[in-house]
Amino acid sequence: MRVDQCLLVDGDDTLWENNIYFERAIEEFLDLLAHASLSRTELRQVLDDVERENCQVYGYGAKSFVRSLHDCYERVHEVRATEDHGRAIAELGERILRQEPVLIAGVEETLTGLRTRHRLVLLTKGDHEEQAAKVERSRLGPLFERIVIVPEKTVETYATVVEDLKADTARTWMIGNSPKSDIVPALAAGLGAVYVPHPDTWVLEHHPFPETTERLLQVDRFTDLAEHF
């Protein structure tokens, strides 16, 4: 059992469910998008490509997602969405924004125990307004020393966060479900990383782990953290 560590904890799909709501919206969008020659799988690939491009410019979250749905529609059909389809797309985004956070099993109890032994910092990426609203509605905020919302998680992000916290890199860990955002850049920045897999992690957050994983820990579920920290 390690004590007095600084634990950076991801939000979406680590503390609360998130991507399942986007996936449900995508299924409805694919119904609406129906194409004479492109299969459902091919349409999803187009959407993934559009999202990959748009996230680099517009960031993450429901607002960027709706923009991507419109862009995908136009790319596939070569016309802008009809008025009815435009309203349907907008509603998909609004539904996500209205979604109350559903905590993953054991999260609150585990955090409550960890905060007695370690510094806890919530480090989440995305649209600041959207992420701040999720944190507030989750009611987990008081369990953390600080809430940090960033547009992207890069090696530089982690270095800056550790410096701002006056934390020791060698005693700081990033905990999350995304190989791309939570694991790979944290390890590259010299932090430890704890991979907590989620069955519905967004496909654009998938990424191979680095060959050198001396400070990588994988657990089956969030509650397992209590056994290691």
mmCIF file with all atom_site columns, all heavy atoms in Angstrom, residues 29 32-35 46-47 50 67-83 85-86 89:
data_model
loop_
_atom_site.group_PDB
_atom_site.id
_atom_site.type_symbol
_atom_site.label_atom_id
_atom_site.label_alt_id
_atom_site.label_comp_id
_atom_site.label_asym_id
_atom_site.label_entity_id
_atom_site.label_seq_id
_atom_site.pdbx_PDB_ins_code
_atom_site.Cartn_x
_atom_site.Cartn_y
_atom_site.Cartn_z
_atom_site.occupancy
_atom_site.B_iso_or_equiv
_atom_site.pdbx_formal_charge
_atom_site.auth_seq_id
_atom_site.auth_comp_id
_atom_site.auth_asym_id
_atom_site.auth_atom_id
_atom_site.pdbx_PDB_model_num
ATOM 1   N N   . PHE A 1 29 ? -28.519 8.338  -35.229 1.00 0.00 ? 29 PHE A N   1
ATOM 2   C CA  . PHE A 1 29 ? -28.048 9.132  -36.364 1.00 0.00 ? 29 PHE A CA  1
ATOM 3   C C   . PHE A 1 29 ? -27.840 8.246  -37.598 1.00 0.00 ? 29 PHE A C   1
ATOM 4   O O   . PHE A 1 29 ? -28.190 8.649  -38.715 1.00 0.00 ? 29 PHE A O   1
ATOM 5   C CB  . PHE A 1 29 ? -26.739 9.831  -35.999 1.00 0.00 ? 29 PHE A CB  1
ATOM 6   C CG  . PHE A 1 29 ? -26.092 10.555 -37.141 1.00 0.00 ? 29 PHE A CG  1
ATOM 7   C CD1 . PHE A 1 29 ? -26.665 11.697 -37.682 1.00 0.00 ? 29 PHE A CD1 1
ATOM 8   C CD2 . PHE A 1 29 ? -24.899 10.084 -37.692 1.00 0.00 ? 29 PHE A CD2 1
ATOM 9   C CE1 . PHE A 1 29 ? -26.062 12.373 -38.742 1.00 0.00 ? 29 PHE A CE1 1
ATOM 10  C CE2 . PHE A 1 29 ? -24.303 10.747 -38.753 1.00 0.00 ? 29 PHE A CE2 1
ATOM 11  C CZ  . PHE A 1 29 ? -24.880 11.892 -39.279 1.00 0.00 ? 29 PHE A CZ  1
ATOM 12  N N   . LEU A 1 32 ? -31.016 7.647  -39.296 1.00 0.00 ? 32 LEU A N   1
ATOM 13  C CA  . LEU A 1 32 ? -31.427 8.829  -40.042 1.00 0.00 ? 32 LEU A CA  1
ATOM 14  C C   . LEU A 1 32 ? -30.589 8.997  -41.311 1.00 0.00 ? 32 LEU A C   1
ATOM 15  O O   . LEU A 1 32 ? -31.081 9.441  -42.348 1.00 0.00 ? 32 LEU A O   1
ATOM 16  C CB  . LEU A 1 32 ? -31.287 10.048 -39.126 1.00 0.00 ? 32 LEU A CB  1
ATOM 17  C CG  . LEU A 1 32 ? -31.582 11.445 -39.659 1.00 0.00 ? 32 LEU A CG  1
ATOM 18  C CD1 . LEU A 1 32 ? -32.066 12.327 -38.501 1.00 0.00 ? 32 LEU A CD1 1
ATOM 19  C CD2 . LEU A 1 32 ? -30.337 12.074 -40.268 1.00 0.00 ? 32 LEU A CD2 1
ATOM 20  N N   . LEU A 1 33 ? -29.319 8.603  -41.223 1.00 0.00 ? 33 LEU A N   1
ATOM 21  C CA  . LEU A 1 33 ? -28.362 8.825  -42.311 1.00 0.00 ? 33 LEU A CA  1
ATOM 22  C C   . LEU A 1 33 ? -28.508 7.823  -43.449 1.00 0.00 ? 33 LEU A C   1
ATOM 23  O O   . LEU A 1 33 ? -27.913 8.013  -44.498 1.00 0.00 ? 33 LEU A O   1
ATOM 24  C CB  . LEU A 1 33 ? -26.940 8.754  -41.740 1.00 0.00 ? 33 LEU A CB  1
ATOM 25  C CG  . LEU A 1 33 ? -25.774 9.240  -42.593 1.00 0.00 ? 33 LEU A CG  1
ATOM 26  C CD1 . LEU A 1 33 ? -25.925 10.717 -42.923 1.00 0.00 ? 33 LEU A CD1 1
ATOM 27  C CD2 . LEU A 1 33 ? -24.460 9.004  -41.860 1.00 0.00 ? 33 LEU A CD2 1
ATOM 28  N N   . ALA A 1 34 ? -29.263 6.787  -43.238 1.00 0.00 ? 34 ALA A N   1
ATOM 29  C CA  . ALA A 1 34 ? -29.395 5.663  -44.183 1.00 0.00 ? 34 ALA A CA  1
ATOM 30  C C   . ALA A 1 34 ? -29.026 6.027  -45.616 1.00 0.00 ? 34 ALA A C   1
ATOM 31  O O   . ALA A 1 34 ? -29.502 7.019  -46.172 1.00 0.00 ? 34 ALA A O   1
ATOM 32  C CB  . ALA A 1 34 ? -30.821 5.139  -44.138 1.00 0.00 ? 34 ALA A CB  1
ATOM 33  N N   . HIS A 1 35 ? -28.159 5.202  -46.205 1.00 0.00 ? 35 HIS A N   1
ATOM 34  C CA  . HIS A 1 35 ? -27.605 5.483  -47.537 1.00 0.00 ? 35 HIS A CA  1
ATOM 35  C C   . HIS A 1 35 ? -27.809 4.276  -48.450 1.00 0.00 ? 35 HIS A C   1
ATOM 36  O O   . HIS A 1 35 ? -27.739 3.131  -48.006 1.00 0.00 ? 35 HIS A O   1
ATOM 37  C CB  . HIS A 1 35 ? -26.120 5.812  -47.413 1.00 0.00 ? 35 HIS A CB  1
ATOM 38  C CG  . HIS A 1 35 ? -25.519 6.412  -48.637 1.00 0.00 ? 35 HIS A CG  1
ATOM 39  N ND1 . HIS A 1 35 ? -25.029 5.652  -49.666 1.00 0.00 ? 35 HIS A ND1 1
ATOM 40  C CD2 . HIS A 1 35 ? -25.320 7.711  -48.992 1.00 0.00 ? 35 HIS A CD2 1
ATOM 41  C CE1 . HIS A 1 35 ? -24.544 6.454  -50.608 1.00 0.00 ? 35 HIS A CE1 1
ATOM 42  N NE2 . HIS A 1 35 ? -24.705 7.699  -50.227 1.00 0.00 ? 35 HIS A NE2 1
ATOM 43  N N   . VAL A 1 46 ? -17.078 6.864  -41.747 1.00 0.00 ? 46 VAL A N   1
ATOM 44  C CA  . VAL A 1 46 ? -17.084 8.255  -42.192 1.00 0.00 ? 46 VAL A CA  1
ATOM 45  C C   . VAL A 1 46 ? -17.224 9.181  -40.986 1.00 0.00 ? 46 VAL A C   1
ATOM 46  O O   . VAL A 1 46 ? -16.507 10.187 -40.860 1.00 0.00 ? 46 VAL A O   1
ATOM 47  C CB  . VAL A 1 46 ? -18.224 8.526  -43.198 1.00 0.00 ? 46 VAL A CB  1
ATOM 48  C CG1 . VAL A 1 46 ? -18.303 10.016 -43.525 1.00 0.00 ? 46 VAL A CG1 1
ATOM 49  C CG2 . VAL A 1 46 ? -18.020 7.724  -44.467 1.00 0.00 ? 46 VAL A CG2 1
ATOM 50  N N   . LEU A 1 47 ? -18.145 8.849  -40.088 1.00 0.00 ? 47 LEU A N   1
ATOM 51  C CA  . LEU A 1 47 ? -18.344 9.669  -38.895 1.00 0.00 ? 47 LEU A CA  1
ATOM 52  C C   . LEU A 1 47 ? -17.082 9.701  -38.040 1.00 0.00 ? 47 LEU A C   1
ATOM 53  O O   . LEU A 1 47 ? -16.689 10.763 -37.543 1.00 0.00 ? 47 LEU A O   1
ATOM 54  C CB  . LEU A 1 47 ? -19.525 9.149  -38.076 1.00 0.00 ? 47 LEU A CB  1
ATOM 55  C CG  . LEU A 1 47 ? -19.788 9.887  -36.756 1.00 0.00 ? 47 LEU A CG  1
ATOM 56  C CD1 . LEU A 1 47 ? -20.045 11.374 -36.996 1.00 0.00 ? 47 LEU A CD1 1
ATOM 57  C CD2 . LEU A 1 47 ? -20.965 9.257  -36.017 1.00 0.00 ? 47 LEU A CD2 1
ATOM 58  N N   . VAL A 1 50 ? -14.663 12.065 -39.583 1.00 0.00 ? 50 VAL A N   1
ATOM 59  C CA  . VAL A 1 50 ? -15.078 13.454 -39.389 1.00 0.00 ? 50 VAL A CA  1
ATOM 60  C C   . VAL A 1 50 ? -14.789 13.899 -37.957 1.00 0.00 ? 50 VAL A C   1
ATOM 61  O O   . VAL A 1 50 ? -14.267 15.005 -37.717 1.00 0.00 ? 50 VAL A O   1
ATOM 62  C CB  . VAL A 1 50 ? -16.573 13.625 -39.716 1.00 0.00 ? 50 VAL A CB  1
ATOM 63  C CG1 . VAL A 1 50 ? -17.069 15.013 -39.275 1.00 0.00 ? 50 VAL A CG1 1
ATOM 64  C CG2 . VAL A 1 50 ? -16.825 13.430 -41.198 1.00 0.00 ? 50 VAL A CG2 1
ATOM 65  N N   . ARG A 1 67 ? -21.749 19.139 -34.382 1.00 0.00 ? 67 ARG A N   1
ATOM 66  C CA  . ARG A 1 67 ? -21.113 19.668 -35.583 1.00 0.00 ? 67 ARG A CA  1
ATOM 67  C C   . ARG A 1 67 ? -20.633 18.522 -36.478 1.00 0.00 ? 67 ARG A C   1
ATOM 68  O O   . ARG A 1 67 ? -20.803 18.555 -37.700 1.00 0.00 ? 67 ARG A O   1
ATOM 69  C CB  . ARG A 1 67 ? -19.928 20.562 -35.199 1.00 0.00 ? 67 ARG A CB  1
ATOM 70  C CG  . ARG A 1 67 ? -19.166 21.120 -36.404 1.00 0.00 ? 67 ARG A CG  1
ATOM 71  C CD  . ARG A 1 67 ? -17.932 21.871 -35.963 1.00 0.00 ? 67 ARG A CD  1
ATOM 72  N NE  . ARG A 1 67 ? -18.249 23.097 -35.275 1.00 0.00 ? 67 ARG A NE  1
ATOM 73  C CZ  . ARG A 1 67 ? -18.404 24.277 -35.883 1.00 0.00 ? 67 ARG A CZ  1
ATOM 74  N NH1 . ARG A 1 67 ? -18.272 24.359 -37.201 1.00 0.00 ? 67 ARG A NH1 1
ATOM 75  N NH2 . ARG A 1 67 ? -18.687 25.354 -35.183 1.00 0.00 ? 67 ARG A NH2 1
ATOM 76  N N   . SER A 1 68 ? -20.063 17.497 -35.863 1.00 0.00 ? 68 SER A N   1
ATOM 77  C CA  . SER A 1 68 ? -19.569 16.352 -36.627 1.00 0.00 ? 68 SER A CA  1
ATOM 78  C C   . SER A 1 68 ? -20.707 15.586 -37.291 1.00 0.00 ? 68 SER A C   1
ATOM 79  O O   . SER A 1 68 ? -20.556 15.092 -38.413 1.00 0.00 ? 68 SER A O   1
ATOM 80  C CB  . SER A 1 68 ? -18.762 15.418 -35.717 1.00 0.00 ? 68 SER A CB  1
ATOM 81  O OG  . SER A 1 68 ? -17.550 16.027 -35.305 1.00 0.00 ? 68 SER A OG  1
ATOM 82  N N   . LEU A 1 69 ? -21.841 15.478 -36.612 1.00 0.00 ? 69 LEU A N   1
ATOM 83  C CA  . LEU A 1 69 ? -22.994 14.814 -37.219 1.00 0.00 ? 69 LEU A CA  1
ATOM 84  C C   . LEU A 1 69 ? -23.448 15.568 -38.457 1.00 0.00 ? 69 LEU A C   1
ATOM 85  O O   . LEU A 1 69 ? -23.740 14.960 -39.497 1.00 0.00 ? 69 LEU A O   1
ATOM 86  C CB  . LEU A 1 69 ? -24.137 14.708 -36.210 1.00 0.00 ? 69 LEU A CB  1
ATOM 87  C CG  . LEU A 1 69 ? -23.894 13.855 -34.957 1.00 0.00 ? 69 LEU A CG  1
ATOM 88  C CD1 . LEU A 1 69 ? -25.179 13.767 -34.132 1.00 0.00 ? 69 LEU A CD1 1
ATOM 89  C CD2 . LEU A 1 69 ? -23.391 12.465 -35.294 1.00 0.00 ? 69 LEU A CD2 1
ATOM 90  N N   . HIS A 1 70 ? -23.519 16.883 -38.368 1.00 0.00 ? 70 HIS A N   1
ATOM 91  C CA  . HIS A 1 70 ? -23.910 17.692 -39.526 1.00 0.00 ? 70 HIS A CA  1
ATOM 92  C C   . HIS A 1 70 ? -22.893 17.540 -40.663 1.00 0.00 ? 70 HIS A C   1
ATOM 93  O O   . HIS A 1 70 ? -23.272 17.375 -41.833 1.00 0.00 ? 70 HIS A O   1
ATOM 94  C CB  . HIS A 1 70 ? -24.032 19.164 -39.133 1.00 0.00 ? 70 HIS A CB  1
ATOM 95  C CG  . HIS A 1 70 ? -25.339 19.519 -38.501 1.00 0.00 ? 70 HIS A CG  1
ATOM 96  N ND1 . HIS A 1 70 ? -26.509 19.607 -39.225 1.00 0.00 ? 70 HIS A ND1 1
ATOM 97  C CD2 . HIS A 1 70 ? -25.654 19.804 -37.210 1.00 0.00 ? 70 HIS A CD2 1
ATOM 98  C CE1 . HIS A 1 70 ? -27.501 19.938 -38.409 1.00 0.00 ? 70 HIS A CE1 1
ATOM 99  N NE2 . HIS A 1 70 ? -27.011 20.071 -37.180 1.00 0.00 ? 70 HIS A NE2 1
ATOM 100 N N   . ASP A 1 71 ? -21.607 17.584 -40.321 1.00 0.00 ? 71 ASP A N   1
ATOM 101 C CA  . ASP A 1 71 ? -20.564 17.473 -41.344 1.00 0.00 ? 71 ASP A CA  1
ATOM 102 C C   . ASP A 1 71 ? -20.583 16.097 -41.992 1.00 0.00 ? 71 ASP A C   1
ATOM 103 O O   . ASP A 1 71 ? -20.366 15.967 -43.205 1.00 0.00 ? 71 ASP A O   1
ATOM 104 C CB  . ASP A 1 71 ? -19.195 17.739 -40.729 1.00 0.00 ? 71 ASP A CB  1
ATOM 105 C CG  . ASP A 1 71 ? -18.994 19.201 -40.353 1.00 0.00 ? 71 ASP A CG  1
ATOM 106 O OD1 . ASP A 1 71 ? -19.846 20.027 -40.739 1.00 0.00 ? 71 ASP A OD1 1
ATOM 107 O OD2 . ASP A 1 71 ? -17.999 19.509 -39.668 1.00 0.00 ? 71 ASP A OD2 1
ATOM 108 N N   . CYS A 1 72 ? -20.846 15.071 -41.199 1.00 0.00 ? 72 CYS A N   1
ATOM 109 C CA  . CYS A 1 72 ? -20.928 13.713 -41.729 1.00 0.00 ? 72 CYS A CA  1
ATOM 110 C C   . CYS A 1 72 ? -22.110 13.587 -42.681 1.00 0.00 ? 72 CYS A C   1
ATOM 111 O O   . CYS A 1 72 ? -21.994 12.993 -43.765 1.00 0.00 ? 72 CYS A O   1
ATOM 112 C CB  . CYS A 1 72 ? -21.052 12.717 -40.587 1.00 0.00 ? 72 CYS A CB  1
ATOM 113 S SG  . CYS A 1 72 ? -21.206 10.987 -41.114 1.00 0.00 ? 72 CYS A SG  1
ATOM 114 N N   . TYR A 1 73 ? -23.234 14.139 -42.289 1.00 0.00 ? 73 TYR A N   1
ATOM 115 C CA  . TYR A 1 73 ? -24.438 14.109 -43.134 1.00 0.00 ? 73 TYR A CA  1
ATOM 116 C C   . TYR A 1 73 ? -24.136 14.737 -44.491 1.00 0.00 ? 73 TYR A C   1
ATOM 117 O O   . TYR A 1 73 ? -24.462 14.169 -45.548 1.00 0.00 ? 73 TYR A O   1
ATOM 118 C CB  . TYR A 1 73 ? -25.564 14.863 -42.431 1.00 0.00 ? 73 TYR A CB  1
ATOM 119 C CG  . TYR A 1 73 ? -26.916 14.755 -43.092 1.00 0.00 ? 73 TYR A CG  1
ATOM 120 C CD1 . TYR A 1 73 ? -27.911 13.944 -42.557 1.00 0.00 ? 73 TYR A CD1 1
ATOM 121 C CD2 . TYR A 1 73 ? -27.208 15.469 -44.251 1.00 0.00 ? 73 TYR A CD2 1
ATOM 122 C CE1 . TYR A 1 73 ? -29.157 13.847 -43.164 1.00 0.00 ? 73 TYR A CE1 1
ATOM 123 C CE2 . TYR A 1 73 ? -28.450 15.377 -44.870 1.00 0.00 ? 73 TYR A CE2 1
ATOM 124 C CZ  . TYR A 1 73 ? -29.421 14.558 -44.318 1.00 0.00 ? 73 TYR A CZ  1
ATOM 125 O OH  . TYR A 1 73 ? -30.646 14.465 -44.928 1.00 0.00 ? 73 TYR A OH  1
ATOM 126 N N   . GLU A 1 74 ? -23.486 15.900 -44.441 1.00 0.00 ? 74 GLU A N   1
ATOM 127 C CA  . GLU A 1 74 ? -23.190 16.613 -45.683 1.00 0.00 ? 74 GLU A CA  1
ATOM 128 C C   . GLU A 1 74 ? -22.159 15.862 -46.522 1.00 0.00 ? 74 GLU A C   1
ATOM 129 O O   . GLU A 1 74 ? -22.247 15.832 -47.758 1.00 0.00 ? 74 GLU A O   1
ATOM 130 C CB  . GLU A 1 74 ? -22.685 18.015 -45.355 1.00 0.00 ? 74 GLU A CB  1
ATOM 131 C CG  . GLU A 1 74 ? -22.538 18.904 -46.571 1.00 0.00 ? 74 GLU A CG  1
ATOM 132 C CD  . GLU A 1 74 ? -22.331 20.363 -46.210 1.00 0.00 ? 74 GLU A CD  1
ATOM 133 O OE1 . GLU A 1 74 ? -22.517 20.724 -45.019 1.00 0.00 ? 74 GLU A OE1 1
ATOM 134 O OE2 . GLU A 1 74 ? -21.980 21.143 -47.116 1.00 0.00 ? 74 GLU A OE2 1
ATOM 135 N N   . ARG A 1 75 ? -21.193 15.223 -45.871 1.00 0.00 ? 75 ARG A N   1
ATOM 136 C CA  . ARG A 1 75 ? -20.177 14.480 -46.612 1.00 0.00 ? 75 ARG A CA  1
ATOM 137 C C   . ARG A 1 75 ? -20.786 13.269 -47.301 1.00 0.00 ? 75 ARG A C   1
ATOM 138 O O   . ARG A 1 75 ? -20.420 12.918 -48.422 1.00 0.00 ? 75 ARG A O   1
ATOM 139 C CB  . ARG A 1 75 ? -19.049 14.046 -45.671 1.00 0.00 ? 75 ARG A CB  1
ATOM 140 C CG  . ARG A 1 75 ? -17.886 13.370 -46.367 1.00 0.00 ? 75 ARG A CG  1
ATOM 141 C CD  . ARG A 1 75 ? -16.709 13.122 -45.440 1.00 0.00 ? 75 ARG A CD  1
ATOM 142 N NE  . ARG A 1 75 ? -16.160 14.360 -44.894 1.00 0.00 ? 75 ARG A NE  1
ATOM 143 C CZ  . ARG A 1 75 ? -15.045 14.413 -44.170 1.00 0.00 ? 75 ARG A CZ  1
ATOM 144 N NH1 . ARG A 1 75 ? -14.363 13.290 -43.916 1.00 0.00 ? 75 ARG A NH1 1
ATOM 145 N NH2 . ARG A 1 75 ? -14.597 15.571 -43.706 1.00 0.00 ? 75 ARG A NH2 1
ATOM 146 N N   . VAL A 1 76 ? -21.717 12.612 -46.630 1.00 0.00 ? 76 VAL A N   1
ATOM 147 C CA  . VAL A 1 76 ? -22.327 11.398 -47.183 1.00 0.00 ? 76 VAL A CA  1
ATOM 148 C C   . VAL A 1 76 ? -23.336 11.723 -48.277 1.00 0.00 ? 76 VAL A C   1
ATOM 149 O O   . VAL A 1 76 ? -23.350 11.085 -49.344 1.00 0.00 ? 76 VAL A O   1
ATOM 150 C CB  . VAL A 1 76 ? -22.998 10.582 -46.054 1.00 0.00 ? 76 VAL A CB  1
ATOM 151 C CG1 . VAL A 1 76 ? -23.894 9.488  -46.635 1.00 0.00 ? 76 VAL A CG1 1
ATOM 152 C CG2 . VAL A 1 76 ? -21.938 9.969  -45.148 1.00 0.00 ? 76 VAL A CG2 1
ATOM 153 N N   . HIS A 1 77 ? -24.192 12.700 -48.019 1.00 0.00 ? 77 HIS A N   1
ATOM 154 C CA  . HIS A 1 77 ? -25.284 12.989 -48.954 1.00 0.00 ? 77 HIS A CA  1
ATOM 155 C C   . HIS A 1 77 ? -24.987 14.154 -49.899 1.00 0.00 ? 77 HIS A C   1
ATOM 156 O O   . HIS A 1 77 ? -25.776 14.425 -50.812 1.00 0.00 ? 77 HIS A O   1
ATOM 157 C CB  . HIS A 1 77 ? -26.573 13.278 -48.175 1.00 0.00 ? 77 HIS A CB  1
ATOM 158 C CG  . HIS A 1 77 ? -27.144 12.070 -47.513 1.00 0.00 ? 77 HIS A CG  1
ATOM 159 N ND1 . HIS A 1 77 ? -27.604 10.981 -48.215 1.00 0.00 ? 77 HIS A ND1 1
ATOM 160 C CD2 . HIS A 1 77 ? -27.316 11.761 -46.187 1.00 0.00 ? 77 HIS A CD2 1
ATOM 161 C CE1 . HIS A 1 77 ? -28.057 10.061 -47.371 1.00 0.00 ? 77 HIS A CE1 1
ATOM 162 N NE2 . HIS A 1 77 ? -27.888 10.509 -46.131 1.00 0.00 ? 77 HIS A NE2 1
ATOM 163 N N   . GLU A 1 78 ? -23.886 14.847 -49.638 1.00 0.00 ? 78 GLU A N   1
ATOM 164 C CA  . GLU A 1 78 ? -23.463 15.973 -50.480 1.00 0.00 ? 78 GLU A CA  1
ATOM 165 C C   . GLU A 1 78 ? -24.469 17.123 -50.490 1.00 0.00 ? 78 GLU A C   1
ATOM 166 O O   . GLU A 1 78 ? -24.521 17.918 -51.423 1.00 0.00 ? 78 GLU A O   1
ATOM 167 C CB  . GLU A 1 78 ? -23.168 15.508 -51.914 1.00 0.00 ? 78 GLU A CB  1
ATOM 168 C CG  . GLU A 1 78 ? -22.048 14.474 -51.973 1.00 0.00 ? 78 GLU A CG  1
ATOM 169 C CD  . GLU A 1 78 ? -21.720 14.047 -53.390 1.00 0.00 ? 78 GLU A CD  1
ATOM 170 O OE1 . GLU A 1 78 ? -22.551 14.286 -54.288 1.00 0.00 ? 78 GLU A OE1 1
ATOM 171 O OE2 . GLU A 1 78 ? -20.628 13.498 -53.591 1.00 0.00 ? 78 GLU A OE2 1
ATOM 172 N N   . VAL A 1 79 ? -25.290 17.182 -49.447 1.00 0.00 ? 79 VAL A N   1
ATOM 173 C CA  . VAL A 1 79 ? -26.197 18.303 -49.221 1.00 0.00 ? 79 VAL A CA  1
ATOM 174 C C   . VAL A 1 79 ? -26.304 18.512 -47.713 1.00 0.00 ? 79 VAL A C   1
ATOM 175 O O   . VAL A 1 79 ? -26.030 17.594 -46.933 1.00 0.00 ? 79 VAL A O   1
ATOM 176 C CB  . VAL A 1 79 ? -27.621 18.059 -49.789 1.00 0.00 ? 79 VAL A CB  1
ATOM 177 C CG1 . VAL A 1 79 ? -27.589 17.967 -51.299 1.00 0.00 ? 79 VAL A CG1 1
ATOM 178 C CG2 . VAL A 1 79 ? -28.244 16.815 -49.170 1.00 0.00 ? 79 VAL A CG2 1
ATOM 179 N N   . ARG A 1 80 ? -26.712 19.697 -47.305 1.00 0.00 ? 80 ARG A N   1
ATOM 180 C CA  . ARG A 1 80 ? -26.903 19.944 -45.881 1.00 0.00 ? 80 ARG A CA  1
ATOM 181 C C   . ARG A 1 80 ? -28.138 19.192 -45.396 1.00 0.00 ? 80 ARG A C   1
ATOM 182 O O   . ARG A 1 80 ? -29.041 18.875 -46.170 1.00 0.00 ? 80 ARG A O   1
ATOM 183 C CB  . ARG A 1 80 ? -27.055 21.440 -45.625 1.00 0.00 ? 80 ARG A CB  1
ATOM 184 C CG  . ARG A 1 80 ? -25.835 22.249 -46.024 1.00 0.00 ? 80 ARG A CG  1
ATOM 185 C CD  . ARG A 1 80 ? -25.992 23.700 -45.659 1.00 0.00 ? 80 ARG A CD  1
ATOM 186 N NE  . ARG A 1 80 ? -26.076 23.871 -44.205 1.00 0.00 ? 80 ARG A NE  1
ATOM 187 C CZ  . ARG A 1 80 ? -26.159 25.059 -43.610 1.00 0.00 ? 80 ARG A CZ  1
ATOM 188 N NH1 . ARG A 1 80 ? -26.209 26.169 -44.345 1.00 0.00 ? 80 ARG A NH1 1
ATOM 189 N NH2 . ARG A 1 80 ? -26.226 25.137 -42.309 1.00 0.00 ? 80 ARG A NH2 1
ATOM 190 N N   . ALA A 1 81 ? -28.175 18.928 -44.105 1.00 0.00 ? 81 ALA A N   1
ATOM 191 C CA  . ALA A 1 81 ? -29.313 18.220 -43.532 1.00 0.00 ? 81 ALA A CA  1
ATOM 192 C C   . ALA A 1 81 ? -30.596 19.011 -43.747 1.00 0.00 ? 81 ALA A C   1
ATOM 193 O O   . ALA A 1 81 ? -30.600 20.246 -43.686 1.00 0.00 ? 81 ALA A O   1
ATOM 194 C CB  . ALA A 1 81 ? -29.086 17.991 -42.041 1.00 0.00 ? 81 ALA A CB  1
ATOM 195 N N   . THR A 1 82 ? -31.689 18.309 -44.013 1.00 0.00 ? 82 THR A N   1
ATOM 196 C CA  . THR A 1 82 ? -32.987 18.962 -44.142 1.00 0.00 ? 82 THR A CA  1
ATOM 197 C C   . THR A 1 82 ? -33.368 19.589 -42.806 1.00 0.00 ? 82 THR A C   1
ATOM 198 O O   . THR A 1 82 ? -32.767 19.302 -41.768 1.00 0.00 ? 82 THR A O   1
ATOM 199 C CB  . THR A 1 82 ? -34.067 17.954 -44.549 1.00 0.00 ? 82 THR A CB  1
ATOM 200 O OG1 . THR A 1 82 ? -34.215 16.995 -43.475 1.00 0.00 ? 82 THR A OG1 1
ATOM 201 C CG2 . THR A 1 82 ? -33.694 17.239 -45.834 1.00 0.00 ? 82 THR A CG2 1
ATOM 202 N N   . GLU A 1 83 ? -34.381 20.421 -42.815 1.00 0.00 ? 83 GLU A N   1
ATOM 203 C CA  . GLU A 1 83 ? -34.815 21.074 -41.580 1.00 0.00 ? 83 GLU A CA  1
ATOM 204 C C   . GLU A 1 83 ? -35.205 20.041 -40.526 1.00 0.00 ? 83 GLU A C   1
ATOM 205 O O   . GLU A 1 83 ? -34.825 20.163 -39.357 1.00 0.00 ? 83 GLU A O   1
ATOM 206 C CB  . GLU A 1 83 ? -35.987 22.003 -41.869 1.00 0.00 ? 83 GLU A CB  1
ATOM 207 C CG  . GLU A 1 83 ? -36.436 22.819 -40.660 1.00 0.00 ? 83 GLU A CG  1
ATOM 208 C CD  . GLU A 1 83 ? -37.515 23.825 -40.994 1.00 0.00 ? 83 GLU A CD  1
ATOM 209 O OE1 . GLU A 1 83 ? -37.722 24.100 -42.194 1.00 0.00 ? 83 GLU A OE1 1
ATOM 210 O OE2 . GLU A 1 83 ? -38.152 24.321 -40.059 1.00 0.00 ? 83 GLU A OE2 1
ATOM 211 N N   . HIS A 1 85 ? -34.267 16.850 -40.348 1.00 0.00 ? 85 HIS A N   1
ATOM 212 C CA  . HIS A 1 85 ? -33.080 16.104 -39.921 1.00 0.00 ? 85 HIS A CA  1
ATOM 213 C C   . HIS A 1 85 ? -32.167 16.974 -39.064 1.00 0.00 ? 85 HIS A C   1
ATOM 214 O O   . HIS A 1 85 ? -31.542 16.492 -38.114 1.00 0.00 ? 85 HIS A O   1
ATOM 215 C CB  . HIS A 1 85 ? -32.328 15.576 -41.139 1.00 0.00 ? 85 HIS A CB  1
ATOM 216 C CG  . HIS A 1 85 ? -32.991 14.407 -41.783 1.00 0.00 ? 85 HIS A CG  1
ATOM 217 N ND1 . HIS A 1 85 ? -32.521 13.805 -42.930 1.00 0.00 ? 85 HIS A ND1 1
ATOM 218 C CD2 . HIS A 1 85 ? -34.107 13.705 -41.425 1.00 0.00 ? 85 HIS A CD2 1
ATOM 219 C CE1 . HIS A 1 85 ? -33.314 12.801 -43.264 1.00 0.00 ? 85 HIS A CE1 1
ATOM 220 N NE2 . HIS A 1 85 ? -34.289 12.735 -42.368 1.00 0.00 ? 85 HIS A NE2 1
ATOM 221 N N   . GLY A 1 86 ? -32.104 18.256 -39.377 1.00 0.00 ? 86 GLY A N   1
ATOM 222 C CA  . GLY A 1 86 ? -31.304 19.167 -38.568 1.00 0.00 ? 86 GLY A CA  1
ATOM 223 C C   . GLY A 1 86 ? -31.812 19.252 -37.147 1.00 0.00 ? 86 GLY A C   1
ATOM 224 O O   . GLY A 1 86 ? -31.030 19.255 -36.188 1.00 0.00 ? 86 GLY A O   1
ATOM 225 N N   . ILE A 1 89 ? -30.901 16.028 -35.329 1.00 0.00 ? 89 ILE A N   1
ATOM 226 C CA  . ILE A 1 89 ? -29.492 16.013 -34.938 1.00 0.00 ? 89 ILE A CA  1
ATOM 227 C C   . ILE A 1 89 ? -29.266 16.895 -33.710 1.00 0.00 ? 89 ILE A C   1
ATOM 228 O O   . ILE A 1 89 ? -28.556 16.507 -32.764 1.00 0.00 ? 89 ILE A O   1
ATOM 229 C CB  . ILE A 1 89 ? -28.613 16.475 -36.115 1.00 0.00 ? 89 ILE A CB  1
ATOM 230 C CG1 . ILE A 1 89 ? -28.605 15.406 -37.214 1.00 0.00 ? 89 ILE A CG1 1
ATOM 231 C CG2 . ILE A 1 89 ? -27.184 16.767 -35.650 1.00 0.00 ? 89 ILE A CG2 1
ATOM 232 C CD1 . ILE A 1 89 ? -27.929 15.829 -38.500 1.00 0.00 ? 89 ILE A CD1 1
#
